[in-house]
Amino acid sequence: MALRCSDAAGFLARLDRSIDKEAAVLSQLTVQMDHLAGYQNACEEASAELQQTADYADSLLHKGHKTAEASLADIATLVDDVMRLDEQLQGFLGVLESVSSISEQMSRIAVQTRLLGLNASIEAARGGEATKGFAVVAEEVRRLALDANESAARVSNQIQRLDTGARSLIDRVKANVTVADRVGGEIDQLRLTMTETAALVSQFRGRSADIGNRTVHSTQATQALHEALHEFARISNDNAALAGDASSRVGELEDWANDILDATAHSGVEITASQYIERAAAGCAEIMACIRTAIRRGELTEADVFDTDYVPIAGTDPVQYRTRFVDFADRHLRPMLDEQTARDATIFGCCLVDRNGFLPTHISLRSQPQRPGELDWNTEHARNRRFFLDNQTRRVMNREGDYFVCTYRQDLGDGHYRALRSVLVPMAIGDRRWGVYELGYLI
């Protein structure tokens, strides 16, 4: 019954550790879920702002599109006016050419009139007094011809300047017409671009609305998951508390069963453990005799035996430690433990455990050199120079008696265990309790 209690207690202890680990993971998960819920709320707010921005951008674009269309229409009209202005200036240039031709004709008429006046003056001079009046008229005609010639020259000069200016203006207008023609094409392209942009903004607005709707549904689902996860965490924590309570109760049952087992062993009734009790008492006596002899000879001091300055051994995994008692125990006590273990095939192993749960040495099978990177192998085969203080051994350390019989769970690492029967015999140097001698057996 005690062995089954130990086995059940070990199982519950392992289950309790597993639940504790799961509860810790679940706790981290709930924290992450809280963060996720916060992120989801922020995403929903951002989505709402995005939708508002899309609506505002859509309204601005439509308003700007109308304004741009009106402006582009005005620019197109201006381009048409510039192109018509080129035609009008071409007509004006034709008029200037006609006026210039008329001015040239007036200049020629003035020259001919002046010659006519000169000829009339000559003829009047030949006629004497009879043509004197005609001479006056001829002089006036000549003077009028000179005035007409000067006027025609001034008109020709002004027409020439006007023609030069008009031609320069026409050249600039032609250049502007070229630009206007290119601008007309760009305006058409700009209209197309604005239309495409408006379509994209409308599509963006539609997608923003779709994202907003999906975000709302996602937030609702996240909130539901958030609530369910917190409820699951609450239930898991309750279960962890129940598992811990169950483990504690089975641990108490294990203690009671071991007390009954130990009381039965001390009742004088012959039981299965009796032969192991005798062997454990004899083995402990041999070990203590060896230690006392070494102290008496000066090979070892009592302070060395009780040394608790545990120095970690670098590179070991699980970590092993050294004390001043370790080397002596390996040289002199380990062979004795090997020999005591070999006396019976049912003996699992004999070892020494100080009050802190430290094993300075072990049987050779459990004291092998560690293998780098092989934690599981090291845990099983390199159990010397390590700490193992299970609940039953801890109870025995604080009790008085000649021996104790119990079942316990041998720690195999990573929550694994092995249920064993043990006989623990107290070890003392003088009046000081050092620890216990342990004989473990399997039947």
Side-chain angles (χ1 to χ4, degrees):
M1 184 183 69
L3 187 64
R4 297 301 180 217
C5 286
S6 292
D7 187 57
F11 175 78
L12 277 177
R14 183 179 179 186
L15 176 63
D16 187 43
R17 284 193 293 269
S18 178
I19 291 177
D20 286 341
K21 290 181 181 178
E22 292 175 354
V25 173
L26 186 59
S27 177
Q28 295 177 356
L29 185 59
T30 54
V31 172
Q32 296 300 322
M33 194 65 205
D34 291 339
H35 291 326
L36 178 60
Y39 297 150
Q40 189 66 34
N41 291 334
C43 182
E44 185 176 5
E45 293 176 0
S47 179
E49 292 178 0
L50 180 64
Q51 183 62 38
Q52 292 176 358
T53 302
D55 293 341
Y56 184 61
D58 187 63
S59 64
L60 284 180
L61 187 60
H62 280 82
K63 185 185 298 182
H65 189 268
K66 293 180 181 178
T67 303
E69 281 291 341
S71 299
L72 291 176
D74 292 339
I75 293 174
T77 301
L78 180 60
V79 170
D80 292 339
D81 290 342
V82 169
M83 298 185 72
R84 285 195 297 271
L85 180 61
D86 177 57
E87 297 175 358
Q88 293 175 359
L89 285 175
Q90 290 292 342
F92 177 66
L93 187 60
V95 172
L96 285 179
E97 290 177 351
S98 299
V99 172
S100 178
S101 177
I102 293 173
S103 175
E104 290 176 357
Q105 291 178 2
M106 288 177 59
S107 179
R108 286 196 297 272
I109 291 172
V111 171
Q112 292 176 357
T113 301
R114 187 178 62 180
L115 292 175
L116 180 61
L118 180 61
N119 290 333
S121 297
I122 294 172
E123 293 298 326
R126 291 178 180 175
E129 289 295 329
T131 58
K132 189 174 181 179
F134 181 71
V136 174
V137 174
E139 181 62 24
E140 288 297 324
V141 170
R142 190 176 63 80
R143 187 173 59 79
L144 180 61
L146 289 174
D147 293 340
N149 188 42
E150 291 177 359
S151 296
R154 287 197 298 273
V155 169
S156 177
N157 185 50
Q158 292 298 324
I159 289 175
Q160 182 64 34
R161 293 177 60 187
L162 184 60
D163 180 74
T164 301
R167 290 184 181 278
S168 176
L169 179 60
I170 287 172
D171 290 340
R172 288 199 298 273
V173 168
K174 285 182 177 179
N176 288 335
V177 167
T178 302
V179 175
D181 184 62
R182 186 174 68 252
V183 169
E186 293 175 351
I187 288 173
D188 293 338
Q189 183 63 38
L190 182 59
R191 283 197 180 100
L192 178 61
T193 301
M194 291 187 67
T195 301
E196 292 176 349
T197 302
L200 288 175
V201 170
S202 297
Q203 183 180 2
F204 170 68
R205 183 166 175 262
R207 294 297 296 168
S208 298
D210 183 54
I211 291 173
N213 293 331
R214 293 177 183 272
T215 302
V216 170
H217 295 316
S218 177
T219 300
Q220 293 172 350
T222 301
Q223 183 62 32
L225 178 60
H226 181 265
E227 294 174 357
L229 188 59
H230 274 275
E231 177 63 16
F232 179 65
R234 184 190 66 78
I235 296 173
S236 177
N237 289 330
D238 291 343
N239 289 338
L242 291 174
D245 184 58
S247 178
S248 176
R249 294 190 181 196
V250 172
E252 293 176 358
L253 179 61
E254 179 188 22
D255 293 342
W256 293 336
N258 276 310
D259 288 342
I260 294 173
L261 175 62
D262 187 64
T264 303
H266 283 83
S267 68
V269 177
E270 186 71 19
I271 60 174
T272 304
S274 298
Q275 58 177 316
Y276 298 103
I277 295 172
E278 295 175 359
R279 290 173 180 173
C284 181
E286 292 175 5
I287 294 293
M288 293 305 303
C290 180
I291 294 174
R292 292 189 182 101
T293 299
I295 294 175
R296 191 167 54 252
R297 292 177 178 176
E299 301 173 4
L300 186 69
T301 66
E302 189 172 318
D304 292 336
V305 178
F306 284 91
D307 179 26
T308 57
D309 184 17
Y310 307 107
V311 180
I313 300 175
T316 55
D317 184 25
V319 180
Q320 294 180 305
Y321 301 84
R322 294 188 61 84
T323 67
R324 296 194 303 273
F325 186 44
V326 164
D327 290 337
F328 176 85
D330 283 342
R331 286 195 309 270
H332 300 283
L333 305 184
R334 182 188 296 171
M336 299 175 65
L337 296 175
D338 288 341
E339 191 274 330
Q340 293 165 4
T341 301
R343 291 173 182 171
D344 193 320
T346 60
I347 297 178
F348 184 76
C350 300
C351 63
L352 310 177
V353 186
D354 75 3
R355 292 182 62 86
N356 298 315
F358 180 69
L359 281 67
T361 192
H362 207 306
I363 60 175
S364 298
L365 182 63
R366 308 294 176 190
S367 301
Q368 299 186 48
Q370 288 195 2
R371 297 177 180 178
E374 298 187 27
L375 177 61
D376 292 341
W377 191 93
N378 295 339
T379 300
E380 176 69 15
H381 298 90
R383 300 179 69 83
N384 60 321
R385 305 180 183 181
R386 292 168 54 195
F387 288 89
F388 296 100
L389 190 59
D390 59 272
N391 182 56
Q392 297 307 319
T393 305
R394 185 182 294 108
R395 293 180 68 214
V396 167
M397 291 294 183
N398 298 318
R399 296 171 63 183
E400 296 295 332
D402 51 353
Y403 64 87
F404 303 93
V405 180
C406 66
T407 62
Y408 81 105
R409 301 179 303 278
Q410 184 183 48
D411 183 12
L412 300 178
D414 197 27
H416 297 284
Y417 64 92
R418 180 188 291 116
L420 295 175
R421 295 175 174 87
S422 287
V423 178
L424 305 174
V425 181
M427 295 176 60
I429 304 296
D431 57 353
R432 296 177 63 186
R433 181 79 167 266
W434 180 85
V436 295
Y437 172 90
E438 179 178 358
L439 182 151
Y441 60 98
L442 285 170
I443 56 174

